[in-house]
Amino acid sequence: ILDVSLESVSKEVEKEEGKRKNPVSVTQKNVIKDNASILEQYFLALLLQSQNEKELLLLVQKLFENVPLPTPSLEKLFLHLKEYCALHDKFDHKSFVSTLAEELVPVFDTCFLYPIQEFSEEGIKKELLIVAKDLQVRSIKNALQNISREIVALEKDGKENEAEEKKTQYVFLTKLL
């Protein structure tokens, strides 16, 4: 026999029922955002885990000249990787990590330890190009959506000159698709 009052059991049951009534719902937008983030991590993992980081970076960096990666921390890591490769002839992971800001080290660790299959050199180039192009299209579409919202807001506020500048950006990005 337990030495617990009926009131305490009732209160605990009510708490549990309250938790179940308000389930956490996952929206489609969150799932898409997570998928995009996973794709970005995979992209950087392919770069960081390859044997020819610098060569592969030169192969894909043109795709992201005008469009940033959607996740800011991954974009910062990618930019830092480009800067590092421009300054150094050979890529050294330890040296690269030592140049990163403290907040980017966990991001690097996640990408560097991201599980990927083993590829031949030609295979990793093909995979990286496929992922990079997919990521570029996603990034452009995301940027176009943001610019569209900005144009509508600017036109509502009567800022026609700024809206025209945004429309020019919009046209430029659509040509990249």
Side-chain angles (χ1 to χ4, degrees):
I1 298 178
L2 296 173
D3 191 24
V4 178
S5 68
L6 183 59
E7 289 177 22
S8 2
V9 172
S10 298
K11 286 181 182 178
E12 289 299 317
V13 169
E14 287 175 11
K15 285 181 185 177
E16 289 299 316
E17 287 177 354
K19 289 179 184 176
R20 291 184 187 149
K21 287 180 182 176
N22 299 326
V24 177
S25 63
V26 177
T27 62
Q28 186 65 24
K29 187 173 184 177
N30 290 342
V31 172
I32 291 171
K33 207 174 244 187
D34 289 343
N35 287 342
S37 178
I38 289 169
L39 189 64
E40 290 174 71
Q41 288 177 348
Y42 181 61
F43 167 72
L44 288 170
L46 287 170
L47 277 173
L48 294 171
Q49 293 180 33
S50 72
Q51 299 299 317
N52 298 326
E53 296 89 348
K54 192 169 182 174
E55 177 189 333
L56 294 175
L57 181 65
L58 292 172
L59 187 66
V60 296
Q61 75 179 4
K62 291 179 184 175
L63 296 173
F64 297 100
E65 284 180 345
N66 299 308
V67 182
L69 296 174
T71 307
S73 59
L74 296 172
E75 170 66 12
K76 286 179 185 176
L77 182 63
F78 183 63
L79 291 175
H80 199 76
L81 181 63
K82 288 194 315 188
E83 290 173 11
Y84 182 88
C85 286
L87 296 174
H88 298 85
D89 292 331
K90 186 153 173 77
F91 186 82
D92 177 45
H93 293 95
K94 289 180 183 178
S95 172
F96 177 67
V97 171
S98 68
T99 64
L100 288 176
E102 193 174 312
E103 65 271 5
L104 289 179
V105 173
V107 177
F108 170 82
D109 290 342
T110 301
C111 294
F112 187 67
L113 298 174
Y114 195 90
I116 60 172
Q117 72 181 45
E118 295 220 9
F119 289 100
S120 65
E121 278 305 309
E122 197 58 36
I124 200 165
K125 281 182 186 179
K126 288 179 183 177
E127 181 71 9
L128 187 64
L129 281 173
I130 290 168
V131 171
K133 288 178 182 176
D134 186 21
L135 196 53
Q136 179 198 33
V137 169
R138 286 176 185 237
S139 297
I140 290 171
K141 287 181 178 180
N142 187 31
L144 289 173
Q145 286 177 342
N146 292 336
I147 291 172
S148 299
R149 284 188 220 111
E150 290 175 14
I151 290 170
V152 169
L154 289 170
E155 287 176 343
K156 275 185 181 179
D157 294 341
K159 299 178 181 176
E160 294 299 321
N161 291 339
E162 293 175 32
E164 286 301 318
E165 289 175 20
K166 293 291 180 183
K167 287 178 184 177
T168 304
Q169 284 180 333
Y170 190 91
V171 169
F172 175 75
L173 288 175
T174 54
K175 289 179 182 178
L176 293 176
L177 291 174

